[in-house]
Amino acid sequence: DTAVSQTPKYLVTQMGNDKSIKCEQNLGHDTMYWYKQDSKKFLKIMFSYNNKELIINETVPNRFSPKSPDKAHLNLHINSLELGDSAVYFCASSQAARGLEAFFGQGTRLTVV
Amino acid sequence: GENVEQHPSTLSVQEGDSAVIKCTYSDSASNYFPWYKQELGKGPQLIIDIRSNVGEKKDQRIAVTLNKTAKHFSLHITETQPEDSAVYFCAAHSGNTPLVFGKGTRLSVIA
């Protein structure tokens, strides 16, 4: 069974388009995250949600809007895509009360052309 | 906020040799230090972690050491195998903040 699953795995789109990436976890965790990994492999936190509430929003352009309909889902919507948005986006989850181990999804490789 | 430095950025070793990756952190309140392995086309996977009340932890060929005074921790892989080739990330955590990652080490094990 997949613990943290993201869709799609690959996404190629033109500049200016709006796109969404979906994430679901079946681990019963209460905290979910979005990380961005650039071409140099640097992993940077974008958002953190705890029990559907936003708790951390790093310096991310407001074109990026996370949505958490329930504890098991955290989707990422991106408006007006730019070339610099090209990266691999990882969803992750953890259960704060049971330790801090974060489980990552397989990633979504976004290419903006 | 927390800042994690990781060295080296690339590391090549012969199969069977040991590999060591080092990280330093800035926030003395950090209390959890995991190591992740990322294989090509996959997400990072936890391979070992250590908490601030422990100085060393070992799991088969992998060990992690922590020096709280100096604020550094290291990953040791012994008897390396080609399948150990991957990008390794250290991370640190304090309070309610998400993990802060180092910039990664690309390990190549040459058969």
Side-chain angles (χ1 to χ4, degrees), chain B residues 6-109:
Chain B
Q6 181 172 347
H7 300 279
S9 56
T10 60
L11 179 59
S12 291
V13 298
Q14 292 288 331
E15 184 178 359
D17 287 351
S18 295
V20 180
I21 302 171
K22 298 183 179 182
C23 288
T24 60
Y25 60 99
S26 60
D27 186 352
S28 56
S30 288
N31 55 11
Y32 174 68
F33 307 92
W35 286 88
Y36 283 80
K37 176 183 181 182
Q38 186 178 18
E39 296 176 328
L40 195 62
K42 297 185 178 180
Q45 280 201 304
L46 180 74
I47 54 172
I48 194 167
D49 56 13
I50 191 167
R51 297 183 188 273
S52 58
N53 58 348
V54 175
E56 185 174 356
K57 184 176 178 182
K58 190 173 181 181
D59 182 4
Q60 299 182 339
R61 296 185 297 108
I62 294 173
V64 59
T65 58
L66 171 65
N67 183 327
K68 283 176 57 181
T69 304
K71 290 194 284 210
H72 67 70
F73 55 114
S74 301
L75 177 72
H76 304 252
I77 306 174
T78 58
E79 300 172 30
T80 53
Q81 300 167 2
E83 51 266 38
D84 294 331
S85 297
V87 179
Y88 290 81
F89 293 94
C90 62
H93 174 278
S94 67
N96 291 321
T97 59
L99 292 172
V100 175
F101 286 86
K103 293 193 174 181
T105 296
R106 185 177 298 278
L107 173 65
S108 300
V109 179

Side-chain angles (χ1 to χ4, degrees), chain A:
Chain A
D1 283 346
T2 304
V4 182
S5 59
Q6 296 177 229
T7 54
K9 188 169 182 182
Y10 300 98
L11 185 53
V12 181
T13 187
Q14 291 188 326
M15 277 196 315
N17 283 352
D18 302 338
K19 290 293 177 185
S20 292
I21 306 171
K22 295 186 177 181
C23 179
E24 176 182 5
Q25 54 96 2
N26 62 4
L27 298 165
H29 288 169
D30 59 6
T31 306
M32 296 184 72
Y33 315 86
W34 278 108
Y35 281 86
K36 179 180 180 181
Q37 187 172 48
D38 61 23
S39 58
K40 294 184 179 180
K41 295 291 189 183
F42 185 43
L43 272 166
K44 187 171 180 184
I45 184 72
M46 298 174 68
F47 300 102
S48 174
Y49 265 76
N50 180 266
N51 283 317
K52 300 194 303 174
E53 290 189 17
L54 178 67
I55 56 174
I56 288 195
N57 177 357
E58 292 295 320
T59 51
V60 178
N62 58 13
R63 297 181 295 104
F64 290 78
S65 54
K67 293 270 192 314
S68 182
D70 55 57
K71 275 174 48 173
H73 296 83
L74 180 62
N75 304 323
L76 183 65
H77 189 76
I78 315 170
N79 289 327
S80 304
L81 279 155
E82 300 176 357
L83 292 176
D85 296 333
S86 296
V88 182
Y89 293 84
F90 286 100
C91 177
S93 72
S94 67
Q95 180 68 19
R98 279 196 253 125
L100 303 162
E101 178 180 354
F103 291 80
F104 282 78
Q106 292 270 54
T108 296
R109 181 175 293 279
L110 171 64
T111 303
V112 182
V113 296

